[in-house]
Amino acid sequence: MRYLSYLEAESIHILREVVAQCRLPVMLYSVGKDSSVMLHLAQKAFAPGPIPFALLHVDTGWKFREMIAFRDETARRLGLNLLVHTNEEGRRAGVNPFDSGSSHYTQVMKTEALKQALGAHGFDAAFGGARRDEEVSRAKERIFSFRTASQEWDPKNQRPEFWQAYNGRVKAGESIRVFPLSNWTELDIWAYIQQEEIPIVPLYFAQDHQVVERDGSLIVVHDERMRLAPGEVPQTRRLRFRSLGCYPLTGAMPSDATSIAEIIAEMQAVRTSERGGRLIDRDEASSMEKKKREGYF
Amino acid sequence: MEPDLLRFITCGSVDDGKSTLIGRLLHETRLILDDQAATLARDSRRHGTTGDEVDYALLVDGLQAEREQGITIDVAYRFITTPRRRFIVADTPGHEQYTRNMATGASTADLAILLVDARHGLVTQTRRHSLIVSLLGIRQIVLAVNKIDLVGFDPAVFERIVAEYAQFSAGLGFDAVTAIPLSARYGDNVVARSVRTPWYVGLALLEHLETVQPASQVAQPFRMPVQLVSRPDSEFRGYSGTVAAGGVRVGERVAATAGSSAVARILVAGVEAEAAETGQAVTIALVEPLDISRGDVLTADNAPLERSDQFQARLVWVDARPLSAGRTYWFQIGTALVPGSVTRIRHRIAVNTQEKVSATELAMNDIAVVNVSLQSPVAFAPFAENRMLGGFIIIDRETNATAAAGMIEFALTRAANLTWQPTVIDKAARARLKQQTPVVVWFTGLSGAGKSAIANLVEQKLYARGLHSTLLDGDNVRHGLNRDLGFTPADRVENIRRVAEVATLFLDAGLIVLCCFISPYRAERQMARELVGDGEFIEVFVDTPVEECRRRDVKGLYAKADAGLIRNFTGVSAPYEAPEQPELVLHTSTASADALADQVVARLLGGG
């Protein structure tokens, strides 16, 4: 079997298994390219019927405008049941990426927000678009990843997982995080977006942006909330995003790629990893594992 | 054309160079990106165990606990792309306490790379990993004889390890074992053939991985476990699932227990199609709707699956709570979820030695052969035929933990459904037709005593007289009927019990049954005598001193046993209890085999 078909079939099998086994699943929808692929796979898995679960977007309030517009347009176009959740407590307390430090900000506005939303709705399974090629601790995670009632991950004691026989059984309060894209690589995602003509946020294509360079990352001056350090002067550069998150914490890369084919060509030559542009991943050693243990996706 | 995919695992003892090999493969395929290389260099200084050099283990040992302890706890997945193929690599832990995680990685792999340090040859972990890999259904092995540079690229060392492994792995059911001498550290034979091993004529490791093809599968009929029923509106009712075997076309008839129907529509990954094949995620609509739900299996109409509620299966127990025989668990087989229990632990397999050991409970990481009883029957195929239809998991009903991986060997007949069927033609009638008196002749004695040689002569002499006989030989029976048995005391007992049962059947057929078995214990020979019936059982003690057997050593077994290569070898490391009152004693040191055979025939004819 050819590899994209293999990955597609494996993901659809996983999506169906969750719907068959779990009481109330939800799909985490982050608006990025991986979420777009996961959503497309969900459409295919349940065709000709509708997607039999809601989508949840955790909105920190610091996403790119283009992401929010794309999200709402996609929900309209596909008739999705889209839930949007923001940690209002955190927002009222003024938690933001500039003053709070990226680590605390992520904890409050992403991890806590996610746990609030999952808990409030009583979801017993949540799909995430994480891939094993992204990061070393993700390379270790099961496809069905068990979470305790406090939504924590115990990496030293994961449920063994055999063949395609997934165990989605949980007790009240416990849940399963499910990763249908576990075995996809970044390039597979692009190849599949090309093959299936899946819509993505325009920020993935090269455009002129106003940017400043911080800690080796190119940060876009996206709106009036952006704070400039003394002496920082935004410059116009032709850039695209390889991965999308909160704008003050997401680095762009110089690029002229304006089509999927050009992005793929660029990806085949690139010598840095995908999450290199994400400031939150550099916080400390094993930072992803630590965040994941606490409930981050 | 899109490349295809191969999933493999790397395994082997901790110091055999597993991580270095993965690091080398990633390095040579340019898959360690610049920022990852920088992180690796930084981590190596902080956590590394390789001095000033880059510690490639840190590429795969991604958990904090693993870095701190310098060991691999859980399986890590890496992705390798070459112009010819895509690879999903599962790097698996070597320690026995993490067998469950190794099995997790092995369960989805097509091939295993088993690393061996050329200086040390096969070690306990090599054997354990081979057993697990075989158990989980991997049929392709690469025996990577690593650190060949440290033995001076000596072909003799390589050949010796290859021969030793061939002998060891003969019973593990592998389709192919490809041995490659390599140096992961220096790259010899990793991606290209090395000039330093001119004597090696095979492919480099990566070339092999890029070109190896799985053994051609026998074409199987269509099978699809139903994951869910799709009913978006009153117009459409479809059955969704992943095709586990065979293929199906629109218009063909398919069946489930509820009946059969022609296929009206097929969606492959949501797209209308004329046909579907193995591995695809499909939705099938039927012309006449059937009462089918999750857990049913759609099959080709003319080739239904076997259904049963009683199995013999192999288990890898993976839960901290030990297995209690008789306790009710969930059994998830295909998409079916059924309550059931393990009714009997037939034996545990000691993973390091492959010895069969009797057991009353199973602890985490134990491997065993068990009997399973389900509360309702399920459709299945033996695991050796199909992983999806023959592999199952056991789920603890209290904790929901995945407690075991199971592999169905075959269905057991339910004893309660059996009644004794009287036959009109009996033993006496059959014997009259043959004009002979049926009898069981039981030859016992040490390995190499001459049992088979004498029995063969006896049979020739009987044949010449027009008498009907058959010969059950210890070695031969272990190739077939008793291939699942080892040489532990418990297995020796079971071996003899089965042989005695078979001898009784032949006796009923009116034959003279010659049985050649070491049968070292008095108790089991007594058991055979009782099963057969005292009057029709002739015990023949082939009395050859152990020194003489060792001197002859026709099969070379004494040499191996003396070298410690065979455990439980009768006369060397296991006892032989000579018969106290045999019907006949044959002293092989004072008479020829032919003369001794005449003695046996005389006894049979005289007694008859």
Side-chain angles (χ1 to χ4, degrees), chain B residues 243-327:
Chain B
V243 181
V248 69
R249 304 191 69 84
V250 169
E252 283 178 356
R253 286 194 81 78
V254 293
T257 42
S260 75
S261 167
V263 172
R265 287 173 66 186
I266 300 175
L267 302 181
V268 174
V271 179
E272 208 79 36
E274 269 303 299
E277 58 185 62
T278 306
Q280 289 180 330
V282 304
T283 297
I284 291 176
L286 303 177
V287 174
E288 309 108 55
L290 298 174
D291 180 15
I292 297 173
S293 52
R294 177 174 166 86
D296 284 321
V297 182
L298 272 183
T299 68
D301 188 28
N302 56 359
L305 275 171
E306 196 179 339
R307 289 169 62 78
S308 182
D309 53 5
Q310 311 273 322
F311 302 101
Q312 177 169 314
R314 289 167 186 259
L315 292 188
V316 183
W317 195 257
V318 295
D319 196 15
R321 276 158 61 105
L323 164 76
S324 305
R327 178 191 289 169

Side-chain angles (χ1 to χ4, degrees), chain B residues 387-411:
Chain B
R387 289 191 199 184
M388 254 177 119
L389 298 166
F392 61 91
I393 57 173
I394 299 181
I395 299 170
D396 188 305
R397 301 220 299 181
E398 276 172 56
T399 65
N400 290 320
T402 302
M407 283 101 353
I408 295 177
E409 299 197 308
F410 48 81

Side-chain angles (χ1 to χ4, degrees), chain A:
Chain A
M1 206 170 175
R2 300 288 129 184
Y3 87 97
L4 271 185
S5 314
Y6 173 89
L7 293 175
E8 180 186 60
E10 183 184 65
S11 301
I12 290 175
H13 181 86
I14 294 163
L15 286 156
R16 287 172 173 173
E17 231 11 58
V18 171
V19 166
Q21 290 192 30
C22 300
R23 183 179 44 80
L24 188 61
V26 68
M27 178 174 280
L28 266 292
Y29 179 67
S30 76
V31 202
K33 62 184 188 304
D34 303 302
S35 282
S36 293
V37 166
M38 186 162 63
L39 179 59
H40 183 77
L41 288 164
Q43 286 181 274
K44 296 188 105 182
F46 304 103
I51 294 174
F53 42 76
L55 275 74
L56 170 65
H57 181 230
V58 174
D59 191 349
T60 57
W62 292 88
K63 300 294 175 189
F64 292 94
R65 285 183 303 276
E66 291 88 338
M67 290 173 73
I68 303 302
F70 180 86
R71 177 194 74 189
D72 294 340
E73 206 278 311
T74 302
R76 256 195 313 277
R77 181 167 51 86
L78 301 177
L80 303 174
N81 176 10
L82 174 71
L83 310 169
V84 177
H85 179 79
T86 303
N87 183 352
E88 290 301 339
E89 239 172 87
R91 175 141 68 185
R92 276 197 298 276
V95 175
N96 71 71
F98 300 110
D99 302 313
S100 316
S102 63
S103 179
H104 181 63
Y105 164 77
T106 302
Q107 170 68 26
V108 174
M109 297 308 289
K110 295 176 86 171
T111 308
E112 286 305 322
L114 175 65
K115 287 160 76 166
Q116 286 167 357
L118 294 179
H121 291 274
F123 297 120
D124 59 344
F127 294 106
R131 310 186 320 264
R132 285 167 171 165
D133 77 325
E134 285 180 77
E135 199 272 338
V136 283
S137 67
R138 287 192 166 161
K140 291 269 171 180
E141 192 160 8
R142 302 280 186 259
I143 289 173
F144 274 48
S145 189
F146 178 77
R147 292 294 185 277
T148 61
S150 50
Q151 304 199 23
E152 278 154 13
W153 181 49
D154 181 1
K156 279 191 286 184
N157 197 17
Q158 301 195 74
R159 275 185 184 174
E161 193 164 82
F162 302 101
W163 311 293
Q164 290 193 305
Y166 302 108
N167 176 4
R169 299 184 69 82
V170 293
K171 290 194 235 184
E174 297 171 343
S175 61
I176 303 278
R177 301 273 175 98
V178 184
F179 303 101
L181 304 181
S182 286
N183 289 323
W184 296 59
T185 65
E186 187 184 9
L187 256 177
D188 297 335
I189 293 291
W190 286 116
Y192 192 67
I193 287 171
Q194 183 178 43
Q195 174 186 298
E196 302 284 309
E197 299 176 347
I198 300 170
I200 50 169
V201 181
L203 291 167
Y204 284 111
F205 299 106
Q207 291 167 300
D208 287 340
H209 291 280
Q210 290 274 301
V211 288
V212 293
E213 190 168 338
R214 284 181 186 172
D215 303 330
S217 293
L218 295 168
I219 304 297
V220 170
V221 182
H222 185 65
D223 61 26
E224 70 293 345
R225 296 177 296 172
M226 177 72 178
R227 299 208 200 144
L228 296 177
E232 264 184 345
V233 181
Q235 293 176 313
T236 303
R237 294 184 64 174
R238 197 156 178 76
L239 304 168
R240 71 177 184 84
F241 287 88
R242 196 168 164 189
S243 142
L244 288 175
C246 298
Y247 84 79
L249 300 173
T250 307
M253 61 185 280
S255 168
D256 288 318
T258 54
S259 69
I260 304 289
E262 285 169 8
I263 290 175
I264 290 175
E266 216 174 79
M267 287 296 96
Q268 281 167 336
V270 78
R271 293 302 303 156
T272 54
S273 66
E274 183 181 10
R275 298 191 72 89
R278 297 267 198 124
L279 295 180
I280 61 166
D281 292 352
R282 296 189 208 150
D283 289 342
E284 55 196 283
S286 305
S287 65
M288 178 62 87
E289 180 181 341
K290 185 166 173 290
K291 283 199 279 283
K292 286 172 67 66
R293 282 169 191 257
E294 291 162 354
Y296 183 71
F297 246 94

Side-chain angles (χ1 to χ4, degrees), chain B residues 19-20 40 43-45 47-58 185:
Chain B
S19 306
T20 313
L40 181 61
D43 288 355
S44 295
R45 283 192 294 278
H47 297 292
T49 56
T50 49
D52 291 337
E53 291 185 35
V54 165
D55 184 354
Y56 282 117
L58 296 172
R185 188 161 170 186

Side-chain angles (χ1 to χ4, degrees), chain B residues 37 164 180 218 297 395 449 548:
Chain B
E164 201 187 330
I180 302 175
V218 182
V297 182
I395 299 170
E548 177 61 17

